[in-house]
Amino acid sequence: MRSLFGFGGKTEDATAKPSEKAAEDSTASAEQQSGPSIPPILSCPSPSDSSVLQEIKPLTADEQKVFDQIKTDIPELIKDLPPIDPEAEKYIDPEVPLDIEGWLTDECLARYVRARKGVYEDTKKALRKTIEWRASTRPHALRPDSVELENRTGKMYFNGFDKFSRPVIYMYNHRQNTKDPDNQIRWVIYTLEMCIRHMCPGVEKVTLAIDATQWGFSSSVSIGTAKKFLDILGNHYPERLGRAVIFMPPKFFVAFYSLVSPFIDPVTKAKVAFVNPNSPPTPQAAQQSAEGNGSPWIAVEDCFDRELLEKDCYGNWDFQYDHKTYWKAIEDEFAELKTEMIAKQSANAQTEEAKQ
């Protein structure tokens, strides 16, 4: 069995078969673009860009009570954290501080409260589980070089924002180039962490732009890998998916989706949308796209500004993935993050010393 969206896949490496020539060609194309390359957009659009910020739903009265309880539990939640997992340690920069307190913002707590339906014990257990996971794996500290191989073909990456200022993750399943499921998941986590770092004020979710024109079972991940990814997404990044937009899905893909959709969580299913680029936009569909629900078929303009959407996903932005250019931006972004977190740690230490 295969995953629905196919963010990764199964290929051979040292002994590539003729059928894998397409992946090799994609690698060469991404690494050796001719002409000037266009840098990715990783920074939140300014208010002058007239983008519409996503509204964060306020907590209900009952959820607010749970939120207040959880907030008083923070000292308990962050006690006795586990050490770094030896396997995870191979892929992180040890100089990047943990900063669990900085991660536990009010917005973070509210997401967990909403995701656990306002049930106090479930929310507390879920938070502690994620805190332990972050302490042992340090997802924010993954080194760019540890996942660089995963995106040499530009199969999945953060680039720009949708019309509601949500970061857009482009997914091109046919550009698959690796077979290690653990490293594929590390790259997904790296991308999510980077999107979160660059979210605009008032935005908490990401949009997936999935090119399905060349989708096939042969380039999709196993059900086991897909389940592991969905477990990480649901347990450690709750309330982070805004829309999963699938462009021009072939008929057999739609038929397959119809078969599996009854088994998909209703909340997640409501966020999946198919796009026919020739369909006209509708005000109702646009509002539903902002809220992350509605009809499975929408127009491009219901979720995206075509001028800021890549041509490979039927937009007008003449962006082509160039690995050298994109990865330079990734390395610069990580270096800046590292500097900021070390400076914050130092400032916090000085504050604590001054109190004593």
Side-chain angles (χ1 to χ4, degrees):
M1 295 181 67
R2 303 292 179 179
S3 70
L4 176 60
F5 302 137
F7 64 85
K10 187 177 182 180
T11 66
E12 302 295 328
D13 42 11
T15 56
K17 300 176 182 177
S19 61
E20 291 155 357
K21 185 176 183 298
E24 295 174 357
D25 291 344
S26 295
T27 303
S29 175
E31 292 181 341
Q32 300 174 1
Q33 292 283 356
S34 60
S37 58
I38 301 174
I41 296 176
L42 305 180
S43 298
C44 170
S46 65
S48 61
D49 291 332
S50 69
S51 54
V52 182
L53 293 180
Q54 173 191 351
E55 179 181 1
I56 299 175
K57 293 182 179 179
L59 297 175
T60 65
D62 289 340
E63 289 173 338
Q64 185 63 46
K65 291 178 182 177
V66 173
F67 173 90
D68 293 338
Q69 281 183 285
I70 292 293
K71 199 162 184 179
T72 63
D73 291 335
I74 287 180
E76 177 189 347
L77 286 168
I78 63 177
K79 282 176 59 178
D80 303 323
L81 297 181
I84 301 176
D85 179 81
E87 181 64 20
E89 197 169 13
K90 301 175 185 177
Y91 307 100
I92 67 167
D93 186 331
E95 295 182 8
V96 177
L98 179 57
D99 192 23
I100 285 294
E101 292 89 342
W103 175 79
L104 280 169
T105 62
D106 285 355
E107 293 79 9
C108 174
L109 297 180
R111 282 193 300 275
Y112 276 80
V113 171
R114 287 195 297 265
R116 297 300 178 263
K117 314 298 183 187
V119 178
Y120 169 72
E121 287 297 335
D122 290 351
T123 303
K124 187 175 179 180
K125 288 178 182 178
L127 267 170
R128 175 63 188 188
K129 185 176 181 179
T130 295
I131 289 169
E132 291 179 349
W133 177 77
R134 294 190 72 88
S136 63
T137 64
R138 311 290 174 104
H140 65 292
L142 280 167
R143 301 190 319 275
D145 68 279
S146 70
V147 291
E148 184 266 341
L149 171 64
E150 289 299 324
N151 214 47
R152 287 182 184 173
T153 56
K155 67 187 176 191
M156 188 203 76
Y157 53 90
F158 161 39
N159 188 21
F161 300 78
D162 70 7
K163 69 185 293 182
F164 308 105
S165 293
R166 295 180 292 221
V168 176
I169 299 176
Y170 288 91
M171 304 174 76
Y172 297 103
N173 190 42
H174 61 281
R175 298 179 185 175
Q176 180 50 236
N177 66 319
T178 63
K179 65 176 183 177
D180 180 357
D182 291 334
N183 213 46
Q184 289 170 351
I185 289 174
R186 274 189 287 273
W187 174 230
V188 174
I189 291 171
Y190 189 104
T191 302
L192 279 171
E193 290 283 330
M194 184 166 56
C195 286
I196 292 167
R197 290 196 289 268
H198 293 276
M199 283 179 174
C200 303
V203 174
E204 292 188 330
K205 304 178 188 293
V206 301
T207 289
L208 307 181
I210 304 164
D211 174 26
T213 55
Q214 301 181 57
W215 184 87
F217 287 108
S218 62
S219 55
S220 298
V221 300
S222 68
I223 196 68
T225 302
K227 184 179 183 301
K228 185 176 180 180
F229 162 66
L230 292 174
D231 284 346
I232 290 173
L233 188 67
N235 290 326
H236 305 310
Y237 298 93
E239 299 282 303
R240 285 300 194 184
L241 178 62
R243 253 326 197 178
V245 182
I246 305 168
F247 290 83
M248 288 297 286
K251 290 182 179 179
F252 71 87
F253 182 100
V254 178
F256 173 70
Y257 178 77
S258 298
L259 290 173
V260 302
S261 61
F263 306 101
I264 300 174
D265 174 71
V267 175
T268 301
K269 183 166 65 174
K271 297 175 181 179
V272 176
F274 299 145
V275 164
N276 181 336
N278 299 318
S279 298
T282 63
Q284 181 181 7
Q287 178 60 34
Q288 290 170 340
S289 284
E291 297 170 353
N293 57 44
S295 169
W297 285 95
I298 65 173
V300 171
E301 290 82 1
D302 292 332
C303 194
F304 302 95
D305 178 345
R306 278 190 191 257
E307 300 304 314
L308 297 175
L309 181 68
E310 293 184 11
K311 278 190 174 181
D312 285 342
C313 281
Y314 299 91
N316 297 329
W317 185 19
D318 196 21
F319 178 93
Q320 285 191 317
Y321 183 83
D322 176 78
H323 187 63
K324 183 178 180 180
T325 302
Y326 189 87
W327 214 254
K328 176 65 165 58
I330 292 289
E331 291 173 335
D332 290 347
E333 192 271 347
F334 184 79
E336 184 177 344
L337 165 73
K338 179 178 176 179
T339 299
E340 289 178 356
M341 292 197 71
I342 290 174
K344 180 181 178 181
Q345 183 186 50
S346 177
N348 289 342
Q350 291 176 5
T351 301
E352 289 300 318
E353 288 179 6
K355 291 179 180 179
Q356 296 175 0

